[in-house]
Amino acid sequence: MSSMKDREEGFERKFVFDEELRFKASARRNRALGLWAAEKLGKTGADAETYAKEVVVSDIEEAGDHDVFRKIRKDFDAAGVNQSDHQIRRTMDELMAQAIEQIKNA
């Protein structure tokens, strides 16, 4: 019985660790995505940092990446920035992979 309990606790610790990693990686990815989008929108310096924070906060609206994508898409459309949905999603995926690597190597 003890080994089953130990195994169950191990799975629970792994789950918690994976969820923390995903949360940290998402926040890091969203900040990087915000800075990427800010550059496309012509924002620099403090304006770019403020925009990146807005992107991070936008991820609180709902589970998943849809809320972040919608914010970027809406802002690009309003500013006339020519980026396809595919390009935005690809950048999101690339930045997520980078964020995960950075966190694992920290």
Side-chain angles (χ1 to χ4, degrees), residues 29-30 33 37 41 51 54-55 57-78 85 88-89 92:
R29 185 275 318 266
N30 290 341
L33 181 67
L41 293 165
Y51 185 79
E54 290 174 13
V55 172
V57 170
S58 75
D59 196 22
I60 298 171
E61 294 175 14
E62 64 186 53
D65 294 333
H66 305 298
D67 43 4
V68 174
F69 173 80
R70 271 196 313 273
K71 176 174 180 36
I72 301 290
R73 176 80 274 154
K74 183 183 90 171
D75 294 345
F76 279 2
D77 290 345
D85 290 356
I88 296 169
R89 294 255 184 228
M92 290 173 74

Side-chain angles (χ1 to χ4, degrees), residues 1-11:
M1 282 305 248
S2 177
S3 66
M4 285 297 283
K5 184 166 176 61
D6 291 344
R7 190 172 175 180
E8 181 180 331
E9 288 173 0
F11 283 129

Side-chain angles (χ1 to χ4, degrees), residues 19-38:
E19 287 300 306
E20 286 178 10
L21 175 67
R22 184 176 19 220
F23 175 78
K24 290 176 183 177
S26 290
R28 187 176 290 218
R29 185 275 318 266
N30 290 341
R31 182 177 180 285
L33 181 67
L35 292 173
W36 171 80

